């Protein structure tokens, strides 16, 4: 077995949360390793919209210019599509930003965004171990050991052990696993499963991001980079099972178990239950395959527990109905790195940094998590889509207000 390698911090996961914290710590002179199980570039279930409030942070992370160059058009209108209802309203702008051309959010494919961030972390000095899966964490005095496995085509899995006093869990929340910061496997009828696809040749207005409400689920559409439309949604497990059974008794091609594929059932459900979706995708072409993930785990968790710091979805997750998960991931990584870089050495210093980080996390994100949960509860209720459609038809400004309350214009502390 190879000898352990020692770092100041080991970050598990190279999504926006992991790369943001690794990059910032590396810039503060820390020796950092990022362990990521997937090879990049990789696509990911995500709507890919990023609020304008992150622009100052993206500049600080030195990927702002690349983001501006690659991302899709400015999103100046927020919409609502459900049944025959198609309503739109202005997106609130982040007026405090130094340049008016940065006042609106845009979407960038996660294959591009995550690779840009990881590259920036590497340029800042972080060591990248990829594709490598973290499979265990255990204590070793004042240090912790992380066991990682790299898949070797010839010799099978190769196991190595890394050591560091600081472990950052940035592995997201959608996969169960053996790490103390990961979740147990669940399977309940009310679970929300995530789906996403790219299409080219859509006719969605380039500056519009509609929220989609359909029976048993919610989602969104937005034009991202390279003319790709990103469509993503969450759907209840029991609704998905019903759709797959119903479809298999119709004319859609069944899978081996007699049901249609989950992606096909979701796509047809969205097309049938939102006229805005079928209009926008009329004549459009699927670009790549549909992706699935989940169940998602909305909620607020401990930011620091058993000497492991959590960032991004691992620390807390808002229902993606408000499209703020990337913001929370980037910003929580930044908040944690700021606290750690200023902490005194030793376990007491780390614990104090953990408490300050948790307070900052809750101050910045709790309202978003609760607001998203309230909107999702209405959307997923039996009469939810009809209720929401009635409300926004009479009061379209509710869409602007909702976008504002979800944190889309809230500055990142210490960066304005
Ligand atoms: C349907 C849907 C639509 C969404 N739309 C939007 C949107 O438009 N805008 C928005 O801001 N947010 C959106 N989100 C939320 C957003 O995708 C997440 O909040 C965000 O990806 C969280 O980032 P993260 O860095 O915490 O985790 P992730 O992006 O999940 O990254 C975690 C990384 O860790 C790696 N990993 C996992 N386990 C291990 C391991 N054991 N060892 C090594 N590596 C590991 C994974 O491969 C992955 O690369 C959406 C979510 C869903 C479900």
């Amino acid at each position: 077995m190879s000898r352990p390698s020692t770092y100041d911090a080991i970050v598990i996961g190279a999504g926006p949360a992991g790369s943001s914290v690794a990059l910032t710590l590396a810039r503060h002179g820390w020796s950092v390793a990022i362990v990521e199980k997937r090879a990049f570039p990789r696509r990911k279930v995500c709507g890919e919209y990023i609020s304008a409030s992150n622009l100052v942070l993206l500049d600080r992370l030195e990927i702002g210019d690349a983001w501006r160059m690659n991302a899709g058009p400015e999103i100046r209108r927020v919409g609502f599509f459900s049944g025959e209802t198609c309503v739109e309203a202005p997106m609130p702008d982040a007026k405090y930003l130094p340049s008016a051309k940065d006042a609106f959010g845009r979407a960038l494919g996660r294959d591009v965004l995550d690779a840009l961030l990881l590259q920036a972390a590497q340029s800042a000095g972080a060591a990248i171990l990829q594709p490598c899966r973290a499979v265990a964490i255990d204590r070793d005095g004042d240090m912790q050991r992380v066991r990682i496995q790299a898949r070797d085509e010839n010799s099978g899995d190769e196991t190595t052990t890394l050591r560091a006093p600081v472990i950052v869990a940035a592995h997201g929340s959608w996969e169960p696993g053996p790490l103390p910061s990961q979740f147990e496997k669940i399977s309940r009828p009310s679970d929300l499963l995530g789906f996403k696809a790219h299409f080219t040749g859509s006719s969605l207005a380039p500056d519009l991001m509609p929220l989609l409400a359909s029976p048993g689920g919610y989602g969104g559409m937005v034009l991202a980079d390279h003319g790709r439309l990103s469509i993503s949604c969450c759907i209840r497990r029991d609704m998905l099972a019903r759709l797959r059974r119903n479809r298999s008794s119709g004319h859609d091609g069944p899978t081996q178990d007699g049901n249609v594929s989950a992606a096909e059932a979701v796509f047809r459900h969205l097309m049938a239950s939102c006229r805005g979706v079928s209009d926008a995708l009329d004549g459009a072409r699927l670009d790549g395959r549909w992706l699935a993930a989940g169940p998602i785990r909305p909620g607020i968790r401990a930011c620091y527990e058993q000497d492991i710091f959590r960032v991004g979805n691992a620390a807390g997750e808002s229902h993606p109905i408000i499209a703020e998960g990337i913001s929370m991931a980037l910003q929580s990584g930044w908040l944690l790195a700021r606290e750690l870089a200023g902490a005194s050495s030793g376990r007491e210093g780390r614990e104090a940094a953990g408490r300050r980080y948790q307070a900052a996390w809750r101050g910045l994100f709790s309202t978003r998590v609760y607001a998203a949960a309230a909107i999702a509860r209405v959307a997923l209720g039996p009469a939810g889509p009809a209720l929401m459609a009635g409300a926004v038809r009479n009061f379209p400004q509710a869409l602007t207000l909702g976008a504002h309350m979800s944190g889309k214009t809230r500055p990142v502390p210490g960066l304005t």
Side-chain angles (χ1 to χ4, degrees), residues 79-349:
F80 178 85
F81 290 176
S82 184
E84 291 299 308
T85 302
C86 296
V87 176
E88 56 195 50
M91 178 69 91
D93 55 345
K95 290 195 177 60
Y96 55 85
L97 287 171
S99 163
K101 69 179 192 320
D102 283 341
F104 292 97
R106 295 157 66 181
L108 177 61
R110 292 291 299 272
D111 43 354
V112 183
L113 174 74
D114 291 20
L116 280 175
L117 280 163
L118 187 60
Q119 241 166 39
Q122 188 168 31
S123 303
I128 315 291
L129 294 105
Q130 182 184 36
C132 272
R133 179 189 293 269
V135 292
I137 304 175
D138 57 82
R139 176 159 289 292
D140 177 15
D142 194 42
M143 303 286 272
Q144 300 198 70
R145 279 189 299 246
V146 179
R147 208 160 66 239
I148 61 169
Q149 278 177 355
R151 177 152 286 275
D152 185 305
E153 297 213 333
N154 304 317
S155 54
D157 287 344
E158 189 184 305
T159 303
T160 318
T161 302
L162 308 178
R163 297 168 82 244
V166 169
I167 306 296
V168 181
H171 46 57
S173 56
W174 304 336
E175 287 170 61
L179 305 179
S181 47
Q182 285 182 306
F183 296 92
E184 284 178 8
K185 198 170 163 62
I186 52 165
S187 180
R188 296 176 305 215
S190 59
D191 290 342
L192 285 177
L193 304 171
F195 289 86
K196 170 298 198 16
H198 285 131
F199 284 85
T200 53
S202 88
S203 59
L204 182 71
D207 66 341
L208 176 66
M209 180 167 68
L211 165 66
L212 316 174
S214 55
Y218 60 74
M221 287 198 296
V222 67
L223 204 60
D225 53 294
H226 302 95
R228 296 188 292 182
L229 173 123
S230 175
I231 181 167
S232 60
C233 69
C234 285
I235 188 153
R236 281 179 59 117
R237 194 189 287 278
D238 51 1
M239 172 57 85
L240 179 62
R242 200 173 323 148
L243 291 170
R244 294 183 70 188
R245 279 195 305 273
N246 291 347
R247 293 285 176 196
S248 66
S249 53
H251 297 295
D252 307 322
T255 58
Q256 276 177 347
D257 61 4
N259 294 333
V260 290
S261 77
E264 186 66 22
V266 166
F267 178 51
R268 286 172 186 267
H269 182 53
L270 288 172
M271 295 284 274
S273 56
C274 297
R275 184 172 60 78
V277 174
S278 53
D279 285 353
L281 295 185
D282 186 26
R285 288 169 308 283
L286 183 64
D287 182 15
R289 57 183 184 85
W290 276 86
L291 306 176
I296 63 165
R297 311 273 187 149
I300 297 178
R301 305 173 249 284
C303 289
Y304 176 64
E305 204 172 42
Q306 298 175 50
D307 244 350
I308 301 173
F309 296 88
R310 297 180 191 182
V311 288
N313 273 19
E317 182 174 2
S318 62
H319 274 269
I321 199 159
I322 61 165
E324 276 296 290
I326 304 174
S327 306
M328 290 168 60
L330 288 168
Q331 295 175 24
S332 62
W334 162 262
L335 289 179
L336 174 61
R338 199 180 60 165
E339 293 303 343
L340 284 173
S344 45
S345 61
R347 194 158 182 194
E348 277 179 18

Side-chain angles (χ1 to χ4, degrees), residues 13 16-17 36-37 42 44 46-49 110 134 312-313 325-326:
E36 166 57 51
K37 68 181 179 131
R42 55 100 176 85
K44 192 165 172 57
C46 184
E48 308 180 323
Y49 172 80
R110 292 291 299 272
N313 273 19
I326 304 174

